[in-house]
Amino acid sequence: MTRAAGLDRLARFTEHMGAAYAGGRNTDRGPDQEASTSALSPYLRRRLITEQEVVAAALAAHGPEGAERFVQEVFWRTYFKGHLETRPALWTQYEGLVAEGHRRLAAESGLRRTYERAVEGRTGIDGFDDWAREIVETNWLHNHARMWFASIWIFTLRLPWALGAAFFLEHLVDGDPASNTLSWRWVGGLHTRGKHYLARRENIRRYTEGRFDPAGLDEDAEALREPESPPATRLRPTDPVPTGQVALLLHLDDLHPESLPLGGAEVVRVGGLLSHAAGAVERVRRADREAMDDALARAAAHFGCPAGPVEADWAGTLPVVAAWAPVGPSAAALPPCARVQRDWDRLIWPRATRGFFQVKAAIPEILAAVEVR
């Protein structure tokens, strides 16, 4: 889990970001076959590589029309982050629902048995059980399979959606608080009220190329309901970057310190703050540690200063600067500091207050503003 590995994956997938991606991205051929998606999300989730780099590669190779579908998918990631950033109460609500779900598991034996069969891949549902084992064994799952899994979890097994979202966040190496939480809400019909995603037998059979043919799915379930979702809140403005010598604090949501807009600040010390998702399994934690170690080594070389894990009084009397941490574990763990926002986020997040359309319509304008062509 390094920047070099992310750049290598980007280079190998660039030729597939055009028509091949648009036509084949929904097909899940299984863990033993080459992915039809980019598999760049573990690196993007930690910003070992940046969205701008990935979009620039796609446009250079395929042009705006050829790369349109792939570019939109990259923007979806930032849209989800912006949407959660403007509605942080949704994250608090999710955490509360996870706690409530675990209380129910302790109190309701029937629900507990269904949950245990689901996470252990013992439901008897073709495909679903395979995906449950794949998540645990490989810490990865094709995006379309994630949608099928979430839909079956919610509508066929009737399990609490937040427990499924937590299962994903704990096990997936690209587990992202915003994308994961809001994708599960979207499948359930909560993100876009009343518009849910139902896994259908024919769709699964078609897009797994006949590997799975699940019977017994509830293909007529109604969308989940909840009280009115919280209104969008005003985004906090980015903090001014101190001038002179500063200590740079790295976190798992942004591990490309070389491209941070630090103005005239002189970085003389770098610290790394590890804040894993609650319940993250050891292989996900190991990936986080590898990514942080890689970023600290690059930061030390780039700024010509000491870099290491955060310890007591690591910054001394220096003002501390950090990349903006979006809602999630890193933001919760950040100490008081100046938070620096990238132009990519600054331009997209304010447009992410409602549906994706506002972001989608502004893609050409945003790309011009960040000088990606």
Side-chain angles (χ1 to χ4, degrees):
M1 191 54 59
T2 65
R3 173 166 168 78
L7 290 174
D8 178 66
R9 177 63 191 173
L10 173 60
R12 287 187 287 114
F13 192 76
T14 296
E15 66 177 299
H16 305 292
M17 291 176 176
Y21 176 83
R25 68 189 181 91
N26 285 329
T27 301
D28 175 19
R29 300 185 179 90
D32 299 328
Q33 302 297 318
E34 182 67 20
S36 60
T37 56
S38 72
L40 291 171
S41 52
Y43 309 100
L44 285 167
R45 183 265 175 273
R46 298 169 177 84
R47 250 181 191 155
L48 288 166
I49 57 177
T50 69
E51 296 87 346
Q52 284 175 249
E53 289 178 300
V54 173
V55 169
L59 292 174
H62 303 282
E65 291 187 8
E68 182 179 20
R69 174 56 64 182
F70 181 84
V71 169
Q72 286 180 11
E73 292 303 314
V74 176
F75 270 82
W76 264 102
R77 296 183 61 83
T78 310
Y79 160 75
F80 276 143
K81 285 186 180 294
H83 193 87
L84 195 60
E85 200 70 12
T86 59
R87 286 179 170 80
L90 292 176
W91 175 252
T92 305
Q93 179 191 75
Y94 156 75
E95 292 181 308
L97 289 173
V98 172
E100 177 188 334
H102 282 293
R103 287 192 293 269
R104 288 186 60 194
L105 292 179
E108 302 174 29
S109 59
L111 182 69
R112 183 170 63 252
R113 285 193 295 270
T114 302
Y115 172 83
E116 290 172 349
R117 287 196 294 266
V119 299
E120 294 169 6
R122 297 187 292 106
T123 67
I125 299 175
D126 193 28
F128 182 93
D129 289 346
D130 301 82
W131 300 321
R133 291 190 293 268
E134 185 177 343
I135 292 169
V136 172
E137 293 168 5
T138 71
N139 305 108
W140 177 259
L141 196 63
H142 187 284
N143 184 64
H144 205 171
R146 297 184 195 199
M147 294 166 58
W148 293 322
F149 185 98
S151 180
I152 294 169
W153 178 285
I154 295 169
F155 298 116
T156 297
L157 298 176
R158 298 290 195 271
L159 286 166
W161 74 264
L163 288 181
F167 176 62
F168 270 20
L169 199 58
E170 291 163 4
H171 286 86
L172 292 174
V173 74
D174 63 344
D176 174 81
S179 292
N180 187 64
T181 304
L182 298 181
S183 292
W184 273 82
R185 285 178 57 84
W186 180 82
V187 168
L190 301 174
H191 182 72
T192 303
R193 186 174 294 272
K195 183 178 179 180
H196 56 324
Y197 176 80
L198 288 173
R200 301 188 183 280
R201 182 177 186 176
E202 190 281 329
N203 185 265
I204 293 172
R205 185 170 56 238
R206 174 184 176 187
Y207 285 105
T208 61
E209 297 181 333
R211 288 190 303 123
F212 303 125
D213 186 17
L217 303 185
D218 188 341
E219 301 188 12
D220 299 304
E222 294 185 358
L224 299 180
R225 298 177 183 272
E226 67 174 0
E228 194 69 30
S229 60
T233 60
R234 186 181 297 274
L235 287 168
R236 172 184 157 183
T238 188
D239 299 318
V241 181
T243 57
Q245 294 186 338
V246 302
L248 177 62
L249 180 59
L250 303 183
H251 54 75
L252 290 172
D253 284 276
D254 198 315
L255 293 177
H256 193 235
E258 303 95 319
S259 63
L260 278 175
L262 297 175
E266 179 190 359
V267 177
V268 296
R269 193 169 301 166
V270 180
L273 178 66
L274 279 172
S275 184
H276 311 285
V281 298
E282 174 54 29
R283 277 181 290 184
V284 172
R285 290 172 177 262
R286 184 168 66 244
D288 288 342
R289 293 193 296 268
E290 290 173 356
M292 179 61 75
D293 288 345
D294 177 65
L296 288 170
R298 285 184 284 105
H302 181 76
F303 296 111
C305 69
V310 167
E311 299 174 348
D313 299 323
W314 72 280
T317 60
L318 293 168
V320 178
V321 178
W324 190 296
V327 171
S330 293
L334 273 187
C337 60
R339 301 197 305 171
V340 180
Q341 193 174 27
R342 294 178 182 272
D343 286 344
W344 182 268
D345 298 332
R346 180 181 58 80
L347 292 166
I348 298 173
W349 287 0
R351 295 177 164 94
T353 56
R354 303 186 70 178
F356 180 66
F357 178 77
Q358 289 184 89
V359 171
K360 179 181 176 181
I363 287 176
E365 176 187 345
I366 294 165
L367 293 180
V370 296
E371 298 182 346
V372 173
R373 299 178 178 83

